[in-house]
Amino acid sequence: MRLTAIEEGHLRNGLPGTVGIAAVFPSGGGPFGLAQVRDRVLDRWGALDRMSLVPVPPAGPSAVSGHRWSAERPFDPAAHIAVTDRDVDSLLSEGVAEPLPPGRPLWKLLVTRPATPAGEHAVVLLAHHALLDGRSLETLFRMLMDDAVPPPRPAPAAGARPRVPLAAVCRELRRIGALGRPVPLSSAGEPRPSVAVVGIDPQVMRAARRQPAGGRGATLNELLLSTYAGALRAWPKGRDLLYATVPVDLRTRQDAQRLGNGVTALRVPLPVDLDSPLARLRACQEQVAAFEQRCDAHRAILPALQGAARTVPLLAGVMARRLARPELTTSLCTAFKWRDNPSHLYGRRLARVVPLPQLSPPGTANLCLVHTGDAYTLTVVSHLLSGDAGLIGDAVVRELESLAAAGAPAAQALRGSRTA
């Protein structure tokens, strides 16, 4: 079975391609048993064709011959699931920059033995983006939970494409190709991958989500984009033209649990030129409000692009490498809420989800924000200086605090005194 053009591009873009998700559970009984996790995975994932696919290299010249998926059967959870003495942070930091071993399905599940400082234990799933996207990782973890409902059979793909004006298609193509700037290094040095996981005070997030006052409130994506823009204002040369790329799921309700790659990427200019947190939030809300119409343009564009790239596999690699350039994909910014709350694994309640966005070329920083119950977790994967991921994460948190305080009575009184 031939890979799709998107899958082919993920294999040919010159990057490790590893994405991941960690489910963290409170203390109580020590780490999960390896045998019980393997049993649950065999029961819930064993019949999923996607989890047994192995990419086979092109049989002929790579310009005209693409990879193929080969199914590895029988499904063997022991080959993919292991106990590790590494903690969650080190697993994510090492995993994002290391290619998964070839010649087998491109995923692994790790059960952590050591507890976090809070006594928590975790199960970590790492996979190649050609096999699974971020929504697929979320779907797979939901399937492992105690009360998970078996996924329905995928519905047939919709036959008719949306009718989109040519002008809208042209505008979207210009957005895709518009050049921005890479994220500058914080100081002199050689770029290196780094990962930072930052917990956010839920009271701060709740206050920030009520902004702007009197409005409809802010979504996680809007908050992430606007506070990241604010964080970059204080970054060296951070007021240059910088774009963020937001992955948007194109799956419908009928195929919401389909595994693989079902997202597109919408580029938005970050409002780093605006002075106030509220102004940046409003600008990002306007950008996000246009996503639905822009997705229609992508649904109209993508079949032709994917068809051409699938016919000439070399084109898939060329397109993927171009889109991976830091001037085009400077920062992937995504956010989602774990909606099955509470969730339990072998009776232990899920405390939080830690995402792992992929590593991009030097000059980039990718961010993912997840809401789980009352926990908010931000992961930053940067390819700047070794500590820059942590600096960016801390700066985003400060911007959230500023935004949360923007509507407080004290802040309003202070603004009033300044204008009097």
Side-chain angles (χ1 to χ4, degrees), residues 19-365:
V19 292
I21 188 171
V24 182
F25 300 84
S27 59
F32 290 99
L34 180 60
Q36 65 178 182
V37 174
R38 286 175 173 172
D39 287 344
R40 178 62 60 87
V41 168
L42 179 61
D43 178 55
R44 304 290 175 85
W45 296 357
L48 300 174
D49 293 337
R50 192 80 188 175
M51 304 307 288
S52 295
L53 295 181
V54 181
V56 178
S62 61
V64 295
S65 179
H67 291 76
R68 292 183 175 274
W69 290 120
S70 175
E72 180 184 87
R73 289 293 182 181
F75 182 84
D76 182 12
H80 295 273
I81 305 169
V83 170
T84 177
D85 290 325
R86 311 304 299 267
D87 60 24
V88 173
D89 287 356
S90 63
L91 285 175
L92 300 183
S93 296
E94 293 176 4
V96 75
E98 294 180 356
L100 290 160
R104 48 171 279 182
L106 297 176
W107 65 273
K108 63 181 178 181
L109 192 71
L110 299 168
V111 182
T112 63
R113 197 191 311 270
T116 68
E120 302 165 316
H121 290 92
V123 179
V124 182
L125 174 61
L126 300 174
H128 197 287
H129 209 318
L131 184 72
L132 301 166
D133 60 12
R135 177 52 60 87
S136 298
L137 299 179
E138 180 190 356
T139 296
L140 286 167
F141 254 125
R142 290 180 192 277
M143 293 173 63
L144 292 183
M145 297 298 122
D146 292 347
D147 300 325
V149 177
R153 288 184 173 273
R161 299 178 196 168
R163 296 177 64 88
V164 181
L166 180 60
V169 171
C170 292
R171 280 196 302 271
E172 196 58 34
L173 289 173
R174 286 195 296 270
R175 289 188 181 107
I176 292 172
L179 293 179
R181 300 288 182 90
V183 179
L185 301 179
S186 60
S187 59
E190 290 295 322
R192 295 179 56 189
S194 66
V195 178
V197 178
V198 183
I200 302 172
D201 185 336
Q203 292 186 354
V204 170
M205 282 297 301
R206 284 194 290 268
R209 295 190 72 172
R210 290 194 289 268
Q211 300 297 339
R216 58 169 173 79
T219 67
L220 292 179
N221 263 323
E222 293 164 353
L223 285 175
L224 181 58
L225 290 170
S226 67
T227 55
Y228 181 43
L232 290 177
R233 282 176 60 83
W235 202 256
K237 300 181 181 178
R239 300 194 185 193
D240 290 339
L241 180 58
L242 295 164
Y243 281 85
T245 301
V246 182
V248 179
D249 195 5
L250 293 181
R251 296 172 178 88
T252 65
R253 289 185 178 181
Q254 289 70 32
D255 68 344
Q257 299 190 66
R258 174 172 54 86
L259 303 178
N261 282 273
V263 302
T264 192
L266 303 181
R267 297 182 72 220
V268 296
L270 291 170
V272 293
D273 57 327
L274 299 179
D275 291 332
S276 79
L278 285 173
R280 292 191 290 272
L281 176 59
R282 292 190 183 97
C284 290
Q285 287 181 316
E286 291 177 4
Q287 295 273 7
V288 173
F291 276 9
E292 185 173 350
Q293 290 183 335
R294 291 182 60 186
C295 280
D296 284 343
H298 280 239
R299 291 186 179 96
I301 296 167
L302 286 174
L305 292 177
Q306 292 173 0
R310 200 159 187 258
T311 302
V312 184
L314 177 64
L315 183 58
V318 171
M319 292 170 57
R321 287 177 181 272
R322 173 174 170 75
L323 290 175
R325 289 169 51 190
E327 311 93 86
L328 289 174
T329 305
T330 306
S331 295
L332 289 164
C333 293
T334 187
F336 67 90
K337 179 179 180 179
W338 183 276
R339 299 189 181 279
D340 297 344
N341 185 55
S343 293
H344 296 81
L345 181 62
Y346 287 104
R348 293 167 64 174
R349 182 168 179 163
L350 177 67
R352 55 195 171 93
V353 169
V354 181
L356 180 67
Q358 64 184 319
L359 178 71
S360 295
T364 60

